[in-house]
Amino acid sequence: MRELKREQEEIVTVPDVEAAEIGEILAQYGLEPHEYSPVVNALRNNPQAWLDFMMKFELGLEKPDPKRALQSAVTIALSYVVGGLVPLSPYVFIPIAQKAMLTSIGVTLAALLFFGYVKGQFTGNYPLSSAVQTAFIGALASAAAYAMAKVVQST
């Protein structure tokens, strides 16, 4: 909403700068000034379309669909629950805490490698590199959380 208001203000206060930005955006798609000038003029005559264009193509922001808010919230909540079960599940099945912790570390690293690999497949990055990166960052975050818990526990 802040960016939307800022763009609205810029369209009113510095329309020539905003129009030049439209030209720059369209030029990135291979359009020449004589080709994109009618588009720029048409957008200047329709402030809402101009604002929508700037939000989408300049800032990469789109108005969220309010119908998806509940679905997004449920998806995020379930992801946290399932993600939390991965490192906690060994403690349910292994009665000795030290063994459960080592198993938890192994299971969590395996899950991070797997999801990092899948992420690499979807994003077009090298899957193996993505897997190692995800596992490394996850291990670093886990180690930091463990160290903080130890510090809090000792005080």
Side-chain angles (χ1 to χ4, degrees), residues 5 45 63 68 78 89 115 140:
K5 289 179 182 177
N45 291 328
K63 192 176 278 188
R68 289 191 40 106
L78 288 175
S89 60
F115 287 115
L140 198 61

Side-chain angles (χ1 to χ4, degrees), residues 72-88:
S72 294
V74 169
T75 302
I76 291 168
L78 288 175
S79 297
Y80 274 108
V81 169
V82 171
L85 288 176
V86 171
L88 293 176

Side-chain angles (χ1 to χ4, degrees), residues 103-114:
T103 304
S104 176
I105 291 169
V107 168
T108 302
L109 282 174
L112 288 168
L113 285 166
F114 172 75

